[in-house]
Amino acid sequence: MPSINTQFSLGLELTRLIPLNLAASKAAEYIMSLARDLHSSGSDIVIEEDLALIFGRFQIAPELASSFKTIVVRTNSSFSLTEGISLISGAGPTVSRALLTHDNPAYFATVVQCSFLASIHDKSSLSTSIVYSMEKEREDAPSQHISRAVPNQQGVSGVLRACEEQTADFPWVSLVEAVARQLDVPDFNAVTAIPSAVLRGALYLFPMVQRVKDEYEAVIHLQSHGLCPLVVWAHRILGLDVLVRQTRDVHRGNIVETMFGRGAPNIIIEENLVKDVTIGPTMTLLVPATKETLFTFAPDPDEASIDAYSKAPVRGYGRRQLEVLWSRYVGGFGDLVVGKEAVMKELQLMVAGLGLHIANSLYKAAEKPKMDDPRTENAFHGSPIDIDRSLSPSEEQCFTDPQRFLEATRLLFDEKGIKGDEIQKLAAMYTGSSLHYLRPPLVLQTVSEKYGYSLASWNHIMLRTIRNLALVLLALSHVTDLDAAASAPLNDDIDLVDTHSISSQLRFWDEGKALTAPDTAWFEVFACLMIGHITEVSDEQLERTSLVSDRGWSLFINTHGIADSSFIDPGYVYIKFGVPCRNGVYKHRIMDAPISPFSAQKEATSSPVTGPGNSISLSAGNNPTFGSSYLGERGDTFIVSIRIAMQVNDHSIVRRTGYRELFAGA
């Protein structure tokens, strides 16, 4: 048996087991073409090879490999956003390469595992941990060994994102939740981050055990994170036999064992069995016969932690949030808890009634064009352009279609039996009430008194979640094509919505004060739940933004692809599967191009209007015609400028705008 005393020696031993010939046999022209395609999609050919040297050591279980290929290669239709830009979904350059590289399974193994890890972890912290592991291996190498340069964190994150987006159809979270149910873990606790030290160990010990199962065994000690994802990785993806030993009360010693697989366990995962929590999570390689310890991965002081973000589909998202409230703060976990279903129904109706009550009190925010905007001041010889944003809150109420609201309610709670008249009755009941003093539904009070459930968290936790769910419901009722949005993943942390402007008003709202909503209110609600965990979401941060994309899904305003803004539903948004792509280049945001004073004046000079006149509205019957769009790129963003020609007082007016501004003027 070889000597194993450093992380480098582990890596060297694996390299001997799995000779990789990743790109040497490829023709130069093919390599250049592939490199260009990968770069355009956000990936990198060199970093993909670096990652294949690590993840290519693994062998993917045949059953998982078959289902992965079947789902990922399915053809997906594109959706045109604007001239030259479409939403693209399905296998792109990185995944297509992996699916077609039959002579070298290393790339396929890399894509499968990167797809899985990226689907449940924050890509930034995950890539940092992977890079740290590669750096540790390089540090352990003897001085005479020629090592590759370690890729940077940003490059690794780009590869992870490409793998995630191009395989977003695969139901990784469902696999994790299926394991959670076998382990009696609530679905909302299933997706937790694999500890950094354990991830680093798994990159070396999983393939070591997989290749020589009779000689090695790995034991993982966990505290409270990473259990379900590790079982999916070891058992479902790699086909290893896994024994889980867990307890929720160390002092009582009630250890429960669950076996995944039919043979002797190659991987043993113990959760909450180590009393000394200062030790941290570890992963150890053993000799099964003698239990001799060969190598242990333990937390390193310089090692950053990995974050996980649990997401759930739009369909049933509200029900899931109420399940969390019940399990954590009222009746505990389990479907057979007394009174649960009756309470769930009442809480669903409370959310819907409150949402409709808020809708009835919501008015458009009064927004005036900025006087220093070159498109509104002296752009056309003294005639400012007004895009219909001059209404005060008291003059125009935000309209919420009752039927769409009902459909959105049924989708959010995945409950077709909810009736519109029940919602209307509750909305009327809340009229004149202050949100600060809303009491729990009568059913919840009755059940709590009868069975001793606690309502201590009602005011400061439960009511806040119900308020935020009502706001999400309102936003969902302004989504065009609910069927297309039903599977879109939303962050389980609904408190991200607390930063929204309407949510801020609701915290101090009473019936005598009007609630106001900006034109992008519903766009910002979903932005909070789609990208709020990775960036600040506010009107300033999203200024001029008309589309954002994450995890293979895109949220965008409904002026995209519309030739005339007078034919759209004001305020509505789309949530669709796919990533913006232009000529093979993938980006994750679309913004209106900034208009400089010079460019605005230049456009005006070519089509003058002499003397002062009335303001010009894009929806005032001026017969606007749309010319070719100007498209550009800046970082991870497409920049779009739309050319519009209008007839005003027998004069031709030409100006530039963007989809965000058209949305405001709809």
Side-chain angles (χ1 to χ4, degrees):
M1 184 175 295
S3 174
I4 301 175
N5 51 22
T6 66
Q7 189 169 314
F8 170 77
S9 59
L10 278 171
L12 185 62
E13 184 65 23
L14 287 169
T15 303
R16 290 171 179 160
L17 285 171
I18 317 163
L20 293 175
N21 181 21
L22 299 179
S25 63
K26 303 300 182 181
E29 288 186 7
Y30 171 75
I31 291 294
M32 290 303 297
S33 176
L34 177 62
R36 187 175 293 109
D37 290 342
L38 292 175
H39 178 75
S40 296
S41 68
S43 189
D44 183 280
I45 190 170
V46 175
I47 296 177
E48 283 194 9
E49 184 175 358
D50 290 338
L51 292 176
L53 288 171
I54 293 180
F55 290 102
R57 303 162 176 168
F58 299 74
Q59 294 177 323
I60 305 302
E63 183 179 352
L64 188 283
S66 177
S67 61
F68 186 86
K69 291 176 181 178
T70 300
I71 293 173
V72 168
V73 300
R74 289 189 305 208
T75 302
N76 293 289
S77 58
S78 62
F79 180 85
S80 178
L81 292 168
T82 184
E83 182 181 353
I85 303 178
S86 298
L87 283 184
I88 302 296
S89 59
T94 296
V95 173
S96 295
R97 175 196 193 191
L99 295 175
L100 296 175
T101 312
H102 301 294
D103 58 336
N104 199 324
Y107 288 120
F108 179 72
T110 300
V111 166
V112 170
Q113 292 173 97
C114 286
S115 169
F116 166 66
L117 293 172
S119 71
I120 60 175
H121 292 101
D122 166 59
K123 290 178 284 293
S124 177
S125 59
L126 175 61
S127 58
T128 298
S129 184
I130 293 173
V131 169
Y132 182 81
S133 179
M134 299 170 79
E135 289 174 341
K136 290 287 288 184
E137 180 176 337
R138 187 179 183 187
E139 289 174 7
D140 289 343
S143 57
Q144 68 271 18
H145 180 78
I146 301 176
S147 300
R148 289 172 174 246
V150 175
N152 60 54
Q153 179 269 337
Q154 185 177 2
V156 173
S157 182
V159 176
L160 291 172
R161 187 168 202 171
C163 292
E164 177 192 38
E165 290 177 343
Q166 295 173 32
T167 62
D169 248 352
F170 196 80
W172 289 120
V173 173
S174 296
L175 295 184
V176 175
E177 291 178 347
V179 167
R181 286 187 280 275
Q182 285 185 260
L183 296 174
D184 200 29
V185 174
D187 283 357
F188 51 81
N189 285 339
V191 176
T192 53
I194 297 174
S196 301
V198 174
L199 176 73
R200 182 159 46 91
L203 294 178
Y204 295 90
L205 302 192
F206 276 174
M208 186 73 77
V209 171
Q210 195 177 36
R211 295 288 171 166
V212 276
K213 295 181 180 179
D214 295 335
E215 295 186 28
Y216 299 122
E217 169 183 285
V219 178
I220 302 172
H221 293 287
L222 299 176
Q223 291 172 353
S224 59
H225 291 86
L227 175 59
C228 299
L230 278 169
V231 173
V232 171
W233 190 3
H235 178 62
R236 294 300 303 272
I237 297 177
L238 303 179
L240 294 169
D241 295 318
V242 178
L243 173 65
V244 175
R245 304 177 72 236
Q246 61 184 149
T247 179
R248 295 182 181 178
D249 190 338
V250 176
H251 301 291
R252 293 184 180 179
N254 54 335
I255 298 174
V256 178
E257 294 188 349
T258 307
M259 186 68 195
F260 295 85
R262 298 180 179 179
N266 318 114
I267 307 294
I268 299 173
I269 305 176
E270 298 184 338
E271 185 189 46
N272 293 331
L273 298 187
V274 178
K275 296 183 180 181
D276 187 358
V277 296
T278 62
I279 297 176
T282 61
M283 186 169 185
T284 302
L285 184 67
L286 303 172
V287 178
T290 64
K291 299 302 179 182
E292 175 190 356
T293 297
L294 299 177
F295 198 90
T296 296
F297 287 85
D300 191 292
D302 298 326
E303 197 167 22
S305 62
I306 306 174
D307 297 321
Y309 296 109
S310 176
K311 291 198 171 187
V314 169
R315 185 183 302 279
Y317 179 81
R319 168 80 186 198
R320 182 183 177 99
Q321 291 294 325
L322 296 179
E323 290 267 7
V324 173
L325 289 183
W326 174 270
S327 299
R328 290 182 177 172
Y329 306 110
V330 185
F333 171 64
D335 292 329
L336 300 180
V337 177
V338 179
K340 176 182 175 181
E341 284 307 314
V343 171
M344 289 294 105
K345 180 179 179 181
E346 285 299 304
L347 289 178
Q348 290 171 7
L349 289 175
M350 182 178 187
V351 170
L354 185 58
L356 190 57
H357 174 49
I358 294 170
N360 293 334
S361 307
L362 202 58
Y363 292 81
K364 290 187 177 181
E367 295 184 85
K368 297 286 186 178
K370 298 177 181 179
M371 294 309 296
D372 59 351
D373 189 332
R375 291 166 292 187
T376 63
E377 182 181 5
N378 299 323
F380 300 97
H381 297 275
S383 297
I385 293 180
D386 185 350
I387 26 183
D388 294 340
R389 291 190 292 180
S390 59
L391 293 172
S392 68
S394 61
E395 291 178 326
E396 185 169 1
Q397 187 174 14
C398 295
F399 175 70
T400 299
D401 184 277
Q403 184 58 35
R404 289 196 181 189
F405 186 86
L406 178 60
E407 292 171 1
T409 304
R410 291 171 174 172
L411 178 64
L412 189 67
F413 297 109
D414 194 17
E415 179 55 69
K416 295 181 179 179
I418 295 176
K419 298 179 181 178
D421 57 347
E422 294 177 312
I423 299 174
Q424 293 280 359
K425 183 187 298 184
L426 271 176
M429 186 181 74
Y430 290 137
T431 302
S433 303
S434 172
L435 290 188
H436 311 295
Y437 304 108
L438 288 182
R439 302 302 304 153
L442 182 59
V443 171
L444 178 55
Q445 295 183 52
T446 302
V447 169
S448 299
E449 291 173 3
K450 185 174 182 179
Y451 299 104
Y453 299 150
S454 173
L455 292 179
S457 61
W458 173 258
N459 286 326
H460 65 286
I461 295 179
M462 297 180 69
L463 189 55
R464 180 178 63 188
T465 297
I466 289 169
R467 183 188 67 217
N468 285 336
L469 267 179
L471 187 54
V472 172
L473 175 56
L474 262 178
L476 190 59
S477 66
H478 290 81
V479 171
T480 302
D481 195 353
L482 285 174
D483 290 338
S487 298
L490 302 180
N491 199 301
D492 270 339
D493 184 7
I494 196 170
D495 287 347
L496 290 168
V497 178
D498 268 343
T499 62
H500 193 273
S501 61
I502 297 178
S503 183
S504 300
Q505 296 175 66
L506 289 175
R507 286 198 291 270
F508 308 102
W509 181 53
D510 58 49
E511 198 74 30
K513 186 178 180 181
L515 293 169
T516 58
D519 48 65
T520 55
W522 315 127
F523 178 81
E524 290 172 14
V525 168
F526 286 114
C528 287
L529 294 175
M530 289 180 68
I531 64 171
H533 59 293
I534 54 178
T535 185
E536 180 184 349
V537 174
S538 65
D539 188 51
E540 292 76 18
Q541 292 292 326
L542 295 177
E543 186 179 10
R544 305 200 325 271
T545 298
S546 59
L547 177 148
V548 294
S549 180
D550 187 53
R551 298 204 171 190
W553 286 80
S554 292
L555 162 71
F556 55 98
I557 56 182
N558 64 350
T559 44
H560 275 284
I562 300 297
D564 187 343
S565 63
S566 63
F567 288 97
I568 68 168
D569 292 321
Y572 278 73
V573 300
Y574 281 96
I575 305 176
K576 284 187 173 292
F577 189 47
V579 182
C581 180
R582 175 184 179 234
N583 298 330
V585 177
Y586 291 70
K587 302 290 182 182
H588 299 91
R589 185 173 293 217
I590 296 179
M591 295 179 66
D592 292 359
I595 304 295
S596 67
F598 175 76
S599 63
Q601 185 64 38
K602 184 177 180 180
E603 292 274 10
T605 304
S606 64
S607 305
V609 176
T610 56
N614 295 324
S615 63
I616 300 169
S617 171
L618 297 182
S619 56
N622 294 314
N623 298 318
T625 58
F626 288 68
S628 299
S629 300
Y630 288 167
L631 304 177
E633 299 173 19
R634 180 184 300 163
D636 198 28
T637 302
F638 286 123
I639 307 295
V640 179
S641 176
I642 306 170
R643 186 174 183 271
I644 298 179
M646 295 179 288
Q647 290 294 124
V648 180
N649 299 331
D650 297 326
H651 293 279
S652 296
I653 301 297
V654 178
R655 66 155 298 178
R656 294 209 164 272
T657 184
Y659 288 110
R660 175 69 178 262
E661 190 179 37
L662 285 177
F663 187 74

